[in-house]
Amino acid sequence: MIKFQISLFKFLTIFTLILLVGPIQVSSKCTCESQEEDGSISEALKYKLVSIASILLASALGVSLPFLVKRFRFLNPEKDIYFLIKAFAAGIILATGFVHVLPDAYQSLNSPCLSENPWGKFPFTGFVAMVSAIGTLLMEAFATGYRKRSDLRKAQPLDADEEESDEAHAGHVHGSISVLEKSNSSDLVRHRIISQVLELGIVVHSVIIGISLGTSESAKTIKPLVAALSFHQFFEGTGLGGCISQAKFSHRTVAIMVLFFSLTTPAGIAVGIGISKMYNVNSPTALIVQGLLLSASAGILIYMALVDLLAADFMSRKMLSNFRLQVGASFTLLLGACCMSLLAKWGES
């Protein structure tokens, strides 16, 4: 299982590098007209540099926030407020998938720059999102199933020894402790898978929006995006940081994952600046690659928010037995979703 987690993390690293290098490879295939420049290039570059610093700071602060507040007792995982914060973060991630990523994917794959056949004949956006959600489900199920089967195989010799023991009561206590340890171990593995897959979905989106901003030569377009994307990355980072915190990784792994998220959008902007002269966001190849990746990212984010974050908490014994907590979590869920949805409108203005 450890090997599986390491390989997943390596895949995350390699995949991000491919995302950053990919636009350079497709930049020469431009058939649609490039976007019009609005204002001087030097002014646009100034806002791009400001956006790198602003988004880097907001991303780092957001993803680190769950670790910074862990010292406060009232934010203990057993406290009600912890469930409220998790619901707020889940609402943010859910709105990111539905309101930010999925519409962008649809816009890319339904661009007039693409041929009518096959892109206009089949809803590729929804199909790819569905497939990525199913793929996420299957990966989680098989990985968790593998861990449970492994624990059962290890437990069989121990159970046989306990049956032969004369101290039945002591054996019962030991067996109860063993079951509890297995349950905690399985939950920990699940949280680690969730945090890594969630980061994969977020990283895809972050790199693409970074490259899009970096290649834009319109200061009028970039200016409102600086603040909108800074808030976007802060809230999204808060949700991701909470999942990483639950996974209880080693300090080294936590640092890598935090840096990974913090640097992806600024790195995407830097790459976009470097290729802005030869990259056309309206070229068929760029639109197809961007649309398919965004669709897959949307499917992952929507699945993770609904199944792994919301369903797990809203159907828990603690939540179901506390009506006030249910109402509070529902409110913070809607609040998080509304806040992130408003940022989409802000980014368009």
PDB file of all heavy atoms in Angstrom, residues 305-343:
ATOM      1  N   ALA A 305     -15.738  16.084  -3.612  1.00  0.00           N
ATOM      2  CA  ALA A 305     -16.504  16.952  -2.727  1.00  0.00           C
ATOM      3  C   ALA A 305     -17.775  16.268  -2.236  1.00  0.00           C
ATOM      4  O   ALA A 305     -18.091  16.301  -1.043  1.00  0.00           O
ATOM      5  CB  ALA A 305     -16.853  18.258  -3.452  1.00  0.00           C
ATOM      6  N   LEU A 306     -18.507  15.625  -3.153  1.00  0.00           N
ATOM      7  CA  LEU A 306     -19.782  15.017  -2.787  1.00  0.00           C
ATOM      8  C   LEU A 306     -19.622  13.727  -1.984  1.00  0.00           C
ATOM      9  O   LEU A 306     -20.299  13.523  -0.980  1.00  0.00           O
ATOM     10  CB  LEU A 306     -20.608  14.734  -4.047  1.00  0.00           C
ATOM     11  CG  LEU A 306     -21.178  15.954  -4.778  1.00  0.00           C
ATOM     12  CD1 LEU A 306     -21.845  15.530  -6.078  1.00  0.00           C
ATOM     13  CD2 LEU A 306     -22.173  16.689  -3.898  1.00  0.00           C
ATOM     14  N   VAL A 307     -18.728  12.855  -2.430  1.00  0.00           N
ATOM     15  CA  VAL A 307     -18.621  11.520  -1.835  1.00  0.00           C
ATOM     16  C   VAL A 307     -17.657  11.481  -0.655  1.00  0.00           C
ATOM     17  O   VAL A 307     -18.022  11.073   0.454  1.00  0.00           O
ATOM     18  CB  VAL A 307     -18.196  10.488  -2.897  1.00  0.00           C
ATOM     19  CG1 VAL A 307     -18.050   9.105  -2.278  1.00  0.00           C
ATOM     20  CG2 VAL A 307     -19.214  10.458  -4.035  1.00  0.00           C
ATOM     21  N   ASP A 308     -16.425  11.922  -0.877  1.00  0.00           N
ATOM     22  CA  ASP A 308     -15.396  11.757   0.150  1.00  0.00           C
ATOM     23  C   ASP A 308     -15.458  12.806   1.249  1.00  0.00           C
ATOM     24  O   ASP A 308     -15.060  12.533   2.386  1.00  0.00           O
ATOM     25  CB  ASP A 308     -14.012  11.786  -0.497  1.00  0.00           C
ATOM     26  CG  ASP A 308     -13.741  10.532  -1.306  1.00  0.00           C
ATOM     27  OD1 ASP A 308     -14.222   9.464  -0.897  1.00  0.00           O
ATOM     28  OD2 ASP A 308     -13.082  10.619  -2.356  1.00  0.00           O
ATOM     29  N   LEU A 309     -15.913  14.010   0.922  1.00  0.00           N
ATOM     30  CA  LEU A 309     -15.925  15.072   1.924  1.00  0.00           C
ATOM     31  C   LEU A 309     -17.302  15.268   2.558  1.00  0.00           C
ATOM     32  O   LEU A 309     -17.443  15.258   3.776  1.00  0.00           O
ATOM     33  CB  LEU A 309     -15.444  16.386   1.295  1.00  0.00           C
ATOM     34  CG  LEU A 309     -14.038  16.344   0.681  1.00  0.00           C
ATOM     35  CD1 LEU A 309     -13.678  17.697   0.091  1.00  0.00           C
ATOM     36  CD2 LEU A 309     -12.995  15.920   1.700  1.00  0.00           C
ATOM     37  N   LEU A 310     -18.335  15.437   1.734  1.00  0.00           N
ATOM     38  CA  LEU A 310     -19.655  15.751   2.264  1.00  0.00           C
ATOM     39  C   LEU A 310     -20.403  14.524   2.779  1.00  0.00           C
ATOM     40  O   LEU A 310     -20.895  14.521   3.905  1.00  0.00           O
ATOM     41  CB  LEU A 310     -20.487  16.465   1.195  1.00  0.00           C
ATOM     42  CG  LEU A 310     -20.013  17.878   0.850  1.00  0.00           C
ATOM     43  CD1 LEU A 310     -20.800  18.438  -0.315  1.00  0.00           C
ATOM     44  CD2 LEU A 310     -20.140  18.793   2.063  1.00  0.00           C
ATOM     45  N   ALA A 311     -20.510  13.488   1.949  1.00  0.00           N
ATOM     46  CA  ALA A 311     -21.275  12.303   2.353  1.00  0.00           C
ATOM     47  C   ALA A 311     -20.688  11.661   3.611  1.00  0.00           C
ATOM     48  O   ALA A 311     -21.427  11.222   4.501  1.00  0.00           O
ATOM     49  CB  ALA A 311     -21.313  11.288   1.209  1.00  0.00           C
ATOM     50  N   ALA A 312     -19.360  11.617   3.693  1.00  0.00           N
ATOM     51  CA  ALA A 312     -18.709  10.990   4.847  1.00  0.00           C
ATOM     52  C   ALA A 312     -19.068  11.700   6.151  1.00  0.00           C
ATOM     53  O   ALA A 312     -19.283  11.057   7.190  1.00  0.00           O
ATOM     54  CB  ALA A 312     -17.193  10.989   4.645  1.00  0.00           C
ATOM     55  N   ASP A 313     -19.164  13.036   6.109  1.00  0.00           N
ATOM     56  CA  ASP A 313     -19.476  13.793   7.325  1.00  0.00           C
ATOM     57  C   ASP A 313     -20.980  13.902   7.568  1.00  0.00           C
ATOM     58  O   ASP A 313     -21.446  13.741   8.698  1.00  0.00           O
ATOM     59  CB  ASP A 313     -18.870  15.198   7.228  1.00  0.00           C
ATOM     60  CG  ASP A 313     -17.382  15.194   7.505  1.00  0.00           C
ATOM     61  OD1 ASP A 313     -16.879  14.173   8.042  1.00  0.00           O
ATOM     62  OD2 ASP A 313     -16.708  16.188   7.199  1.00  0.00           O
ATOM     63  N   PHE A 314     -21.744  14.180   6.516  1.00  0.00           N
ATOM     64  CA  PHE A 314     -23.182  14.393   6.686  1.00  0.00           C
ATOM     65  C   PHE A 314     -23.915  13.103   7.068  1.00  0.00           C
ATOM     66  O   PHE A 314     -25.009  13.157   7.633  1.00  0.00           O
ATOM     67  CB  PHE A 314     -23.790  14.987   5.421  1.00  0.00           C
ATOM     68  CG  PHE A 314     -23.702  16.490   5.363  1.00  0.00           C
ATOM     69  CD1 PHE A 314     -22.489  17.121   5.172  1.00  0.00           C
ATOM     70  CD2 PHE A 314     -24.829  17.271   5.522  1.00  0.00           C
ATOM     71  CE1 PHE A 314     -22.391  18.497   5.126  1.00  0.00           C
ATOM     72  CE2 PHE A 314     -24.753  18.660   5.489  1.00  0.00           C
ATOM     73  CZ  PHE A 314     -23.525  19.285   5.291  1.00  0.00           C
ATOM     74  N   MET A 315     -23.337  11.949   6.751  1.00  0.00           N
ATOM     75  CA  MET A 315     -23.950  10.677   7.113  1.00  0.00           C
ATOM     76  C   MET A 315     -23.289  10.031   8.331  1.00  0.00           C
ATOM     77  O   MET A 315     -23.582   8.882   8.668  1.00  0.00           O
ATOM     78  CB  MET A 315     -23.893   9.702   5.929  1.00  0.00           C
ATOM     79  CG  MET A 315     -24.709  10.159   4.734  1.00  0.00           C
ATOM     80  SD  MET A 315     -26.445  10.384   5.163  1.00  0.00           S
ATOM     81  CE  MET A 315     -27.041  11.281   3.728  1.00  0.00           C
ATOM     82  N   SER A 316     -22.400  10.766   8.979  1.00  0.00           N
ATOM     83  CA  SER A 316     -21.741  10.225  10.170  1.00  0.00           C
ATOM     84  C   SER A 316     -22.703  10.219  11.351  1.00  0.00           C
ATOM     85  O   SER A 316     -23.689  10.965  11.395  1.00  0.00           O
ATOM     86  CB  SER A 316     -20.507  11.067  10.518  1.00  0.00           C
ATOM     87  OG  SER A 316     -20.891  12.369  10.907  1.00  0.00           O
ATOM     88  N   ARG A 317     -22.409   9.381  12.344  1.00  0.00           N
ATOM     89  CA  ARG A 317     -23.271   9.258  13.520  1.00  0.00           C
ATOM     90  C   ARG A 317     -23.358  10.578  14.276  1.00  0.00           C
ATOM     91  O   ARG A 317     -24.428  10.969  14.747  1.00  0.00           O
ATOM     92  CB  ARG A 317     -22.741   8.150  14.430  1.00  0.00           C
ATOM     93  CG  ARG A 317     -23.599   7.905  15.664  1.00  0.00           C
ATOM     94  CD  ARG A 317     -23.000   6.813  16.527  1.00  0.00           C
ATOM     95  NE  ARG A 317     -22.855   5.554  15.794  1.00  0.00           N
ATOM     96  CZ  ARG A 317     -22.293   4.460  16.293  1.00  0.00           C
ATOM     97  NH1 ARG A 317     -21.808   4.493  17.536  1.00  0.00           N
ATOM     98  NH2 ARG A 317     -22.195   3.362  15.580  1.00  0.00           N
ATOM     99  N   LYS A 318     -22.240  11.287  14.377  1.00  0.00           N
ATOM    100  CA  LYS A 318     -22.221  12.548  15.117  1.00  0.00           C
ATOM    101  C   LYS A 318     -23.133  13.578  14.468  1.00  0.00           C
ATOM    102  O   LYS A 318     -23.871  14.292  15.154  1.00  0.00           O
ATOM    103  CB  LYS A 318     -20.789  13.090  15.186  1.00  0.00           C
ATOM    104  CG  LYS A 318     -20.644  14.361  16.006  1.00  0.00           C
ATOM    105  CD  LYS A 318     -19.197  14.791  16.063  1.00  0.00           C
ATOM    106  CE  LYS A 318     -19.022  16.064  16.866  1.00  0.00           C
ATOM    107  NZ  LYS A 318     -19.366  15.895  18.277  1.00  0.00           N
ATOM    108  N   MET A 319     -23.102  13.655  13.127  1.00  0.00           N
ATOM    109  CA  MET A 319     -23.918  14.638  12.424  1.00  0.00           C
ATOM    110  C   MET A 319     -25.406  14.277  12.488  1.00  0.00           C
ATOM    111  O   MET A 319     -26.260  15.130  12.717  1.00  0.00           O
ATOM    112  CB  MET A 319     -23.465  14.740  10.972  1.00  0.00           C
ATOM    113  CG  MET A 319     -24.170  15.819  10.160  1.00  0.00           C
ATOM    114  SD  MET A 319     -23.518  17.477  10.432  1.00  0.00           S
ATOM    115  CE  MET A 319     -22.015  17.406   9.459  1.00  0.00           C
ATOM    116  N   LEU A 320     -25.730  12.994  12.289  1.00  0.00           N
ATOM    117  CA  LEU A 320     -27.129  12.568  12.245  1.00  0.00           C
ATOM    118  C   LEU A 320     -27.816  12.688  13.598  1.00  0.00           C
ATOM    119  O   LEU A 320     -29.044  12.813  13.673  1.00  0.00           O
ATOM    120  CB  LEU A 320     -27.213  11.120  11.745  1.00  0.00           C
ATOM    121  CG  LEU A 320     -26.786  10.882  10.289  1.00  0.00           C
ATOM    122  CD1 LEU A 320     -26.825   9.398   9.969  1.00  0.00           C
ATOM    123  CD2 LEU A 320     -27.690  11.645   9.327  1.00  0.00           C
ATOM    124  N   SER A 321     -27.062  12.656  14.683  1.00  0.00           N
ATOM    125  CA  SER A 321     -27.651  12.734  16.025  1.00  0.00           C
ATOM    126  C   SER A 321     -27.702  14.155  16.580  1.00  0.00           C
ATOM    127  O   SER A 321     -28.133  14.370  17.699  1.00  0.00           O
ATOM    128  CB  SER A 321     -26.854  11.846  16.995  1.00  0.00           C
ATOM    129  OG  SER A 321     -25.511  12.284  17.077  1.00  0.00           O
ATOM    130  N   ASN A 322     -27.264  15.126  15.772  1.00  0.00           N
ATOM    131  CA  ASN A 322     -27.211  16.514  16.240  1.00  0.00           C
ATOM    132  C   ASN A 322     -27.861  17.422  15.192  1.00  0.00           C
ATOM    133  O   ASN A 322     -27.245  17.751  14.175  1.00  0.00           O
ATOM    134  CB  ASN A 322     -25.757  16.918  16.486  1.00  0.00           C
ATOM    135  CG  ASN A 322     -25.630  18.256  17.194  1.00  0.00           C
ATOM    136  OD1 ASN A 322     -26.492  19.124  17.092  1.00  0.00           O
ATOM    137  ND2 ASN A 322     -24.536  18.425  17.919  1.00  0.00           N
ATOM    138  N   PHE A 323     -29.118  17.813  15.433  1.00  0.00           N
ATOM    139  CA  PHE A 323     -29.862  18.620  14.462  1.00  0.00           C
ATOM    140  C   PHE A 323     -29.216  19.991  14.257  1.00  0.00           C
ATOM    141  O   PHE A 323     -29.131  20.486  13.125  1.00  0.00           O
ATOM    142  CB  PHE A 323     -31.312  18.788  14.923  1.00  0.00           C
ATOM    143  CG  PHE A 323     -32.138  19.656  14.011  1.00  0.00           C
ATOM    144  CD1 PHE A 323     -32.539  19.192  12.763  1.00  0.00           C
ATOM    145  CD2 PHE A 323     -32.500  20.942  14.396  1.00  0.00           C
ATOM    146  CE1 PHE A 323     -33.285  19.992  11.913  1.00  0.00           C
ATOM    147  CE2 PHE A 323     -33.250  21.750  13.549  1.00  0.00           C
ATOM    148  CZ  PHE A 323     -33.640  21.269  12.308  1.00  0.00           C
ATOM    149  N   ARG A 324     -28.760  20.615  15.333  1.00  0.00           N
ATOM    150  CA  ARG A 324     -28.114  21.933  15.216  1.00  0.00           C
ATOM    151  C   ARG A 324     -26.855  21.856  14.374  1.00  0.00           C
ATOM    152  O   ARG A 324     -26.585  22.751  13.569  1.00  0.00           O
ATOM    153  CB  ARG A 324     -27.777  22.474  16.610  1.00  0.00           C
ATOM    154  CG  ARG A 324     -29.002  22.858  17.443  1.00  0.00           C
ATOM    155  CD  ARG A 324     -28.582  23.400  18.791  1.00  0.00           C
ATOM    156  NE  ARG A 324     -27.758  24.594  18.662  1.00  0.00           N
ATOM    157  CZ  ARG A 324     -27.160  25.201  19.692  1.00  0.00           C
ATOM    158  NH1 ARG A 324     -27.293  24.688  20.923  1.00  0.00           N
ATOM    159  NH2 ARG A 324     -26.454  26.278  19.507  1.00  0.00           N
ATOM    160  N   LEU A 325     -26.103  20.782  14.535  1.00  0.00           N
ATOM    161  CA  LEU A 325     -24.889  20.607  13.733  1.00  0.00           C
ATOM    162  C   LEU A 325     -25.241  20.394  12.267  1.00  0.00           C
ATOM    163  O   LEU A 325     -24.544  20.899  11.371  1.00  0.00           O
ATOM    164  CB  LEU A 325     -24.079  19.418  14.258  1.00  0.00           C
ATOM    165  CG  LEU A 325     -22.749  19.125  13.559  1.00  0.00           C
ATOM    166  CD1 LEU A 325     -21.826  20.333  13.630  1.00  0.00           C
ATOM    167  CD2 LEU A 325     -22.081  17.912  14.185  1.00  0.00           C
ATOM    168  N   GLN A 326     -26.328  19.650  11.993  1.00  0.00           N
ATOM    169  CA  GLN A 326     -26.786  19.455  10.617  1.00  0.00           C
ATOM    170  C   GLN A 326     -27.132  20.780   9.951  1.00  0.00           C
ATOM    171  O   GLN A 326     -26.718  21.047   8.810  1.00  0.00           O
ATOM    172  CB  GLN A 326     -28.012  18.538  10.584  1.00  0.00           C
ATOM    173  CG  GLN A 326     -27.701  17.053  10.687  1.00  0.00           C
ATOM    174  CD  GLN A 326     -28.961  16.220  10.527  1.00  0.00           C
ATOM    175  OE1 GLN A 326     -29.983  16.473  11.158  1.00  0.00           O
ATOM    176  NE2 GLN A 326     -28.880  15.211   9.682  1.00  0.00           N
ATOM    177  N   VAL A 327     -27.880  21.606  10.662  1.00  0.00           N
ATOM    178  CA  VAL A 327     -28.275  22.912  10.119  1.00  0.00           C
ATOM    179  C   VAL A 327     -27.049  23.797   9.905  1.00  0.00           C
ATOM    180  O   VAL A 327     -26.895  24.453   8.866  1.00  0.00           O
ATOM    181  CB  VAL A 327     -29.278  23.607  11.055  1.00  0.00           C
ATOM    182  CG1 VAL A 327     -29.576  25.023  10.579  1.00  0.00           C
ATOM    183  CG2 VAL A 327     -30.570  22.805  11.137  1.00  0.00           C
ATOM    184  N   GLY A 328     -26.144  23.813  10.887  1.00  0.00           N
ATOM    185  CA  GLY A 328     -24.940  24.629  10.782  1.00  0.00           C
ATOM    186  C   GLY A 328     -24.051  24.199   9.638  1.00  0.00           C
ATOM    187  O   GLY A 328     -23.534  25.035   8.875  1.00  0.00           O
ATOM    188  N   ALA A 329     -23.856  22.884   9.482  1.00  0.00           N
ATOM    189  CA  ALA A 329     -23.017  22.366   8.399  1.00  0.00           C
ATOM    190  C   ALA A 329     -23.655  22.649   7.033  1.00  0.00           C
ATOM    191  O   ALA A 329     -22.946  22.960   6.065  1.00  0.00           O
ATOM    192  CB  ALA A 329     -22.790  20.867   8.575  1.00  0.00           C
ATOM    193  N   SER A 330     -24.976  22.553   6.960  1.00  0.00           N
ATOM    194  CA  SER A 330     -25.680  22.862   5.705  1.00  0.00           C
ATOM    195  C   SER A 330     -25.483  24.329   5.335  1.00  0.00           C
ATOM    196  O   SER A 330     -25.268  24.666   4.165  1.00  0.00           O
ATOM    197  CB  SER A 330     -27.169  22.557   5.842  1.00  0.00           C
ATOM    198  OG  SER A 330     -27.391  21.194   6.133  1.00  0.00           O
ATOM    199  N   PHE A 331     -25.543  25.199   6.349  1.00  0.00           N
ATOM    200  CA  PHE A 331     -25.353  26.640   6.094  1.00  0.00           C
ATOM    201  C   PHE A 331     -23.936  26.934   5.607  1.00  0.00           C
ATOM    202  O   PHE A 331     -23.737  27.663   4.630  1.00  0.00           O
ATOM    203  CB  PHE A 331     -25.649  27.431   7.369  1.00  0.00           C
ATOM    204  CG  PHE A 331     -25.341  28.894   7.249  1.00  0.00           C
ATOM    205  CD1 PHE A 331     -26.184  29.743   6.550  1.00  0.00           C
ATOM    206  CD2 PHE A 331     -24.191  29.422   7.832  1.00  0.00           C
ATOM    207  CE1 PHE A 331     -25.881  31.091   6.421  1.00  0.00           C
ATOM    208  CE2 PHE A 331     -23.891  30.770   7.713  1.00  0.00           C
ATOM    209  CZ  PHE A 331     -24.744  31.612   7.004  1.00  0.00           C
ATOM    210  N   THR A 332     -22.924  26.382   6.298  1.00  0.00           N
ATOM    211  CA  THR A 332     -21.539  26.653   5.890  1.00  0.00           C
ATOM    212  C   THR A 332     -21.225  26.023   4.537  1.00  0.00           C
ATOM    213  O   THR A 332     -20.429  26.568   3.760  1.00  0.00           O
ATOM    214  CB  THR A 332     -20.543  26.134   6.944  1.00  0.00           C
ATOM    215  OG1 THR A 332     -20.775  24.736   7.192  1.00  0.00           O
ATOM    216  CG2 THR A 332     -20.681  26.897   8.239  1.00  0.00           C
ATOM    217  N   LEU A 333     -21.868  24.888   4.227  1.00  0.00           N
ATOM    218  CA  LEU A 333     -21.707  24.283   2.896  1.00  0.00           C
ATOM    219  C   LEU A 333     -22.206  25.239   1.821  1.00  0.00           C
ATOM    220  O   LEU A 333     -21.500  25.505   0.829  1.00  0.00           O
ATOM    221  CB  LEU A 333     -22.479  22.967   2.831  1.00  0.00           C
ATOM    222  CG  LEU A 333     -22.716  22.369   1.430  1.00  0.00           C
ATOM    223  CD1 LEU A 333     -21.397  22.011   0.771  1.00  0.00           C
ATOM    224  CD2 LEU A 333     -23.630  21.153   1.528  1.00  0.00           C
ATOM    225  N   LEU A 334     -23.414  25.766   2.005  1.00  0.00           N
ATOM    226  CA  LEU A 334     -23.978  26.704   1.031  1.00  0.00           C
ATOM    227  C   LEU A 334     -23.174  27.998   0.979  1.00  0.00           C
ATOM    228  O   LEU A 334     -23.002  28.593  -0.092  1.00  0.00           O
ATOM    229  CB  LEU A 334     -25.437  27.003   1.385  1.00  0.00           C
ATOM    230  CG  LEU A 334     -26.408  25.827   1.248  1.00  0.00           C
ATOM    231  CD1 LEU A 334     -27.781  26.204   1.806  1.00  0.00           C
ATOM    232  CD2 LEU A 334     -26.529  25.404  -0.215  1.00  0.00           C
ATOM    233  N   LEU A 335     -22.667  28.434   2.138  1.00  0.00           N
ATOM    234  CA  LEU A 335     -21.852  29.650   2.187  1.00  0.00           C
ATOM    235  C   LEU A 335     -20.581  29.487   1.373  1.00  0.00           C
ATOM    236  O   LEU A 335     -20.209  30.373   0.586  1.00  0.00           O
ATOM    237  CB  LEU A 335     -21.520  29.993   3.639  1.00  0.00           C
ATOM    238  CG  LEU A 335     -20.691  31.265   3.865  1.00  0.00           C
ATOM    239  CD1 LEU A 335     -21.463  32.490   3.397  1.00  0.00           C
ATOM    240  CD2 LEU A 335     -20.312  31.397   5.339  1.00  0.00           C
ATOM    241  N   GLY A 336     -19.890  28.350   1.554  1.00  0.00           N
ATOM    242  CA  GLY A 336     -18.676  28.099   0.791  1.00  0.00           C
ATOM    243  C   GLY A 336     -18.943  28.018  -0.707  1.00  0.00           C
ATOM    244  O   GLY A 336     -18.197  28.583  -1.518  1.00  0.00           O
ATOM    245  N   ALA A 337     -20.023  27.335  -1.077  1.00  0.00           N
ATOM    246  CA  ALA A 337     -20.377  27.210  -2.498  1.00  0.00           C
ATOM    247  C   ALA A 337     -20.726  28.566  -3.101  1.00  0.00           C
ATOM    248  O   ALA A 337     -20.325  28.882  -4.234  1.00  0.00           O
ATOM    249  CB  ALA A 337     -21.547  26.239  -2.659  1.00  0.00           C
ATOM    250  N   CYS A 338     -21.448  29.390  -2.345  1.00  0.00           N
ATOM    251  CA  CYS A 338     -21.841  30.716  -2.848  1.00  0.00           C
ATOM    252  C   CYS A 338     -20.635  31.645  -2.986  1.00  0.00           C
ATOM    253  O   CYS A 338     -20.527  32.394  -3.964  1.00  0.00           O
ATOM    254  CB  CYS A 338     -22.882  31.343  -1.925  1.00  0.00           C
ATOM    255  SG  CYS A 338     -24.503  30.558  -2.003  1.00  0.00           S
ATOM    256  N   CYS A 339     -19.736  31.609  -2.006  1.00  0.00           N
ATOM    257  CA  CYS A 339     -18.531  32.455  -2.070  1.00  0.00           C
ATOM    258  C   CYS A 339     -17.696  32.139  -3.308  1.00  0.00           C
ATOM    259  O   CYS A 339     -17.270  33.044  -4.031  1.00  0.00           O
ATOM    260  CB  CYS A 339     -17.696  32.272  -0.803  1.00  0.00           C
ATOM    261  SG  CYS A 339     -18.400  33.017   0.668  1.00  0.00           S
ATOM    262  N   MET A 340     -17.477  30.859  -3.562  1.00  0.00           N
ATOM    263  CA  MET A 340     -16.682  30.472  -4.729  1.00  0.00           C
ATOM    264  C   MET A 340     -17.425  30.767  -6.032  1.00  0.00           C
ATOM    265  O   MET A 340     -16.801  31.130  -7.038  1.00  0.00           O
ATOM    266  CB  MET A 340     -16.314  28.991  -4.635  1.00  0.00           C
ATOM    267  CG  MET A 340     -15.349  28.525  -5.714  1.00  0.00           C
ATOM    268  SD  MET A 340     -13.814  29.465  -5.765  1.00  0.00           S
ATOM    269  CE  MET A 340     -12.935  28.785  -4.376  1.00  0.00           C
ATOM    270  N   SER A 341     -18.742  30.646  -6.019  1.00  0.00           N
ATOM    271  CA  SER A 341     -19.526  30.953  -7.213  1.00  0.00           C
ATOM    272  C   SER A 341     -19.466  32.441  -7.544  1.00  0.00           C
ATOM    273  O   SER A 341     -19.395  32.825  -8.714  1.00  0.00           O
ATOM    274  CB  SER A 341     -20.986  30.522  -7.011  1.00  0.00           C
ATOM    275  OG  SER A 341     -21.073  29.131  -6.787  1.00  0.00           O
ATOM    276  N   LEU A 342     -19.485  33.284  -6.516  1.00  0.00           N
ATOM    277  CA  LEU A 342     -19.390  34.728  -6.742  1.00  0.00           C
ATOM    278  C   LEU A 342     -18.047  35.118  -7.341  1.00  0.00           C
ATOM    279  O   LEU A 342     -17.955  36.062  -8.128  1.00  0.00           O
ATOM    280  CB  LEU A 342     -19.600  35.478  -5.420  1.00  0.00           C
ATOM    281  CG  LEU A 342     -21.039  35.519  -4.897  1.00  0.00           C
ATOM    282  CD1 LEU A 342     -21.088  36.165  -3.519  1.00  0.00           C
ATOM    283  CD2 LEU A 342     -21.945  36.274  -5.863  1.00  0.00           C
ATOM    284  N   LEU A 343     -16.988  34.385  -6.989  1.00  0.00           N
ATOM    285  CA  LEU A 343     -15.669  34.667  -7.563  1.00  0.00           C
ATOM    286  C   LEU A 343     -15.656  34.433  -9.071  1.00  0.00           C
ATOM    287  O   LEU A 343     -14.920  35.084  -9.795  1.00  0.00           O
ATOM    288  CB  LEU A 343     -14.602  33.798  -6.886  1.00  0.00           C
ATOM    289  CG  LEU A 343     -14.204  34.196  -5.460  1.00  0.00           C
ATOM    290  CD1 LEU A 343     -13.148  33.238  -4.926  1.00  0.00           C
ATOM    291  CD2 LEU A 343     -13.690  35.628  -5.415  1.00  0.00           C
TER     292      LEU A 343
END
